[in-house]
Amino acid sequence: MSEPSEEATSKAREVLGLLGFLLVATAQVSNMILARGVAGSVPPFSIAFFRWSIVALGLLPAVVMALREKPGLLQGQTLGIVAAGFLGMFVCGGPVYVAGVTTSAINLALIMSLAPLAVLLFSFISGQEPIHRSQIIGMLLSLAGAALIITKGQAAVGAGVVTGDLLALMAMLGWAGYTLLQNRVGSGVSFLARIGLFAAAGALFSLPFAIHEMWSAPAAAFSGRAALVYLFAGLVPGLFAYSAYAYLGAKFGAVSTSLSLYLGPIVSAVLSILFLGEAPTMIHLIGGALSLGGMWLSLQAKQVGHRPNATSA
């Protein structure tokens, strides 16, 4: 029997990689589906607290291993870890579950997908990197798409805007700030060890709000349904999504970021139809096309000299 050709092996690897990225994107956006599906029935900051606690505990071995190998590595970086945990795990934690009360999972996914553009804009404003004409055009297209989604196509100032969309926008900006920080904190520590540290900080920030929810609504916070929600949030869009992303990123490189970004909103739309009965509207289709098209244009220019780095919340 002849050995499989190099071309066939490469194609098989690409197909497996695409399936892997699709699985990761599904795990990532399942958090938006969860936010919408349990909106108002399970306390939001309790979900965030247990989600990040599960992630922190699950990744504790990676943290311990990293610190054993380089004991003084994180010295003087406490503030950076706290800031990253606040922006990426707290601002992108409870507020996202609160947002699910008044906005759709598709809106959440589309708004959150703008984070890489916010990173690019922050980098330009702070002088960290130049910005090119195609990137500016891409940003304008994406902003137009986001405005269309948030206002639902209504021209009057404030018309069509709901609290959930504004909370999602805040969470997206928080995630962009986290993305800028995450590789500058604990450099030399593995990706998963850093996530474990950030998750622990995010859980601590969420704890006071979670305690308030548990005290004021114990029946909702400690029900069997809530326990399943906590477990799902911690394992699927938590441990599995981050671990699988790290593995695929190591295997396939920068393409992992791009595929996760572009697949996310599409997968979210499919899952919304299947599990929530929320089909995308024409506004979603037009706004999503503008946002994703603009993001593609901007990130293509960025990828010429840099590797993009932004995972989904």
Side-chain angles (χ1 to χ4, degrees), residues 52-114:
W52 296 122
S53 294
I54 291 170
V55 172
L57 288 172
L59 296 179
L60 185 58
V63 175
V64 171
M65 187 181 301
L67 295 180
R68 279 182 178 173
E69 290 176 357
K70 301 176 181 178
L73 190 63
L74 297 179
Q75 190 171 3
Q77 301 198 56
T78 302
L79 186 59
I81 292 170
V82 168
F86 175 79
L87 291 172
M89 281 62 181
F90 176 69
V91 177
C92 285
V96 173
Y97 300 120
V98 176
V101 176
T102 53
T103 195
S104 69
I106 300 174
N107 271 32
L108 284 172
L110 286 170
I111 292 171
M112 290 300 296
S113 72
L114 294 172

Side-chain angles (χ1 to χ4, degrees), residues 17-293:
L18 182 58
L19 290 175
F21 296 133
L22 182 60
L23 191 59
V24 169
T26 302
Q28 290 171 339
V29 301
S30 69
N31 195 48
M32 283 67 165
I33 303 299
L34 180 71
R36 184 62 171 164
V38 303
S41 63
V42 180
F45 286 94
S46 296
I47 301 175
F49 169 72
F50 283 109
R51 178 192 182 192
W52 296 122
S53 294
I54 291 170
V55 172
L57 288 172
L59 296 179
L60 185 58
V63 175
V64 171
M65 187 181 301
L67 295 180
R68 279 182 178 173
E69 290 176 357
K70 301 176 181 178
L73 190 63
L74 297 179
Q75 190 171 3
Q77 301 198 56
T78 302
L79 186 59
I81 292 170
V82 168
F86 175 79
L87 291 172
M89 281 62 181
F90 176 69
V91 177
C92 285
V96 173
Y97 300 120
V98 176
V101 176
T102 53
T103 195
S104 69
I106 300 174
N107 271 32
L108 284 172
L110 286 170
I111 292 171
M112 290 300 296
S113 72
L114 294 172
L117 285 187
V119 170
L120 185 61
L121 186 58
F122 289 163
S123 298
F124 170 67
I125 292 172
S126 62
Q128 295 179 45
E129 61 180 85
I131 194 167
H132 306 290
R133 183 186 304 172
S134 60
Q135 292 173 309
I136 294 173
I137 295 171
M139 283 184 182
L140 292 175
L141 285 173
S142 288
L143 290 174
L148 188 65
I149 293 163
I150 291 172
T151 63
K152 298 172 180 59
Q154 299 182 39
V157 176
V161 178
V162 296
T163 303
D165 290 330
L166 297 179
L167 285 171
L169 191 61
M170 179 186 75
M172 181 275 290
L173 293 173
W175 191 258
Y178 161 78
T179 301
L180 288 167
L181 273 176
Q182 65 170 339
N183 282 339
R184 294 170 172 80
V185 177
S187 55
V189 175
S190 71
F191 172 77
L192 291 180
R194 292 200 310 273
I195 294 298
L197 292 168
F198 302 153
L204 289 175
F205 275 115
S206 300
L207 181 58
F209 298 91
I211 289 173
H212 172 72
E213 291 172 346
M214 294 171 193
W215 180 265
S216 57
F222 295 111
S223 67
R225 183 168 189 257
L228 290 175
V229 168
Y230 302 151
L231 195 60
F232 179 87
L235 295 179
V236 180
L239 276 175
F240 173 78
Y242 281 105
S243 299
Y245 182 88
Y247 174 79
L248 290 173
K251 286 285 185 184
F252 294 90
V255 71
S256 62
T257 299
S258 303
L259 283 172
S260 295
L261 291 174
Y262 302 131
L263 287 173
I266 299 168
V267 172
S268 177
V270 173
L271 294 181
S272 293
I273 296 170
L274 292 176
F275 293 103
L276 303 175
E278 294 181 349
T281 64
M282 186 58 67
I283 293 294
H284 286 125
L285 295 177
I286 297 172
L290 286 171
S291 292
L292 294 178

